[in-house]
Amino acid sequence: MGKIHETIGPRLERFLLDQPVFFVGTAPLDSRGHVNVSPKGMGGTFAVLGERRVAYLDYTGSGTETIAHLRENGRIVLMFCAFEGPPNIVRLHGRGRAVPPGTPEFDELRPHFPKERTLGQRSIVVVEVQRIADSCGFSVPLMDLREDRDLLDRHHERNGPEYFDDYWLERNATSIDGLPGVPPPR
């Protein structure tokens, strides 16, 4: 049976930090717009910042839907599934925002993430969690993790810092629905 939690306590925090992948869901206000669900992985990119506050380190990718939706309306849900051990699904519903690199807040938050690579960092997505719920996860398959993929790291390492400014302007400036995405580089 599902349960609503008042806070992210130690047991729930351990569960969240132990999952090698989680999913981020956002949507625009326009009902004709596209709902977006993005898988997130890479060890060291998720952090629990408080009893009702989490964040993840966002690296440059092919789309900007999450950032665009957060800029428009802030609605977000993070979903974590147990692919090993006891079945469990945890959803963190809340209000999110993207904190860009080069800001004092980004510099303050960045030490919370063990992932060392800085090249390609696009933002830190901070979520003020309003609802914490878990459910059974009885139908989630059991799977074995072999390893994190390093393809994004290697791709980013082949490019210099100027590559990202151009990429953000060309491919991350607007969402597929035309909403403002990654702000222009400073």
Side-chain angles (χ1 to χ4, degrees), residues 27-178:
L29 292 176
D30 187 336
S31 64
R32 294 168 297 173
H34 294 82
V35 174
N36 187 64
V37 177
S38 293
K40 301 295 177 186
M42 293 198 301
T45 60
F46 177 78
V48 175
L49 303 176
E51 291 182 333
R52 297 184 72 82
R53 190 169 187 239
V54 299
Y56 69 87
L57 187 55
D58 178 49
Y59 284 92
T60 299
S62 58
T64 190
E65 305 317 297
T66 300
I67 291 173
H69 295 159
L70 293 179
R71 289 181 71 184
E72 183 195 43
N73 62 60
R75 296 179 307 160
I76 190 167
V77 61
L78 308 182
M79 184 178 77
F80 298 77
C81 301
F83 295 109
E84 62 181 23
N88 195 19
I89 299 170
V90 174
R91 289 179 180 87
L92 306 175
H93 294 88
R95 308 293 296 174
R97 60 194 171 79
V99 178
T103 63
E105 186 179 10
F106 186 95
D107 294 341
E108 177 185 313
L109 291 168
R110 184 57 177 90
H112 290 277
F113 303 96
K115 178 88 172 159
E116 292 181 10
R117 182 172 59 84
T118 59
L119 188 63
Q121 294 175 147
R122 184 169 60 179
S123 70
I124 292 174
V125 174
V126 178
V127 180
E128 303 299 333
V129 181
Q130 298 169 330
R131 183 176 191 270
I132 305 162
D134 68 1
S135 56
C136 66
F138 288 170
S139 66
V140 174
L142 291 169
M143 296 192 290
D144 295 321
L145 175 67
R146 287 196 333 230
E147 62 187 342
D148 275 347
R149 291 181 194 244
D150 66 351
L151 295 174
L152 187 63
D153 288 341
R154 290 187 293 142
H155 173 73
H156 286 171
E157 288 168 0
R158 286 193 299 267
N159 301 288
E162 66 285 343
Y163 166 85
F164 297 98
D165 290 346
D166 293 341
Y167 191 93
W168 294 343
L169 284 172
E170 293 173 21
R171 299 216 179 146
N172 286 177
T174 59
S175 73
I176 58 177
D177 295 318

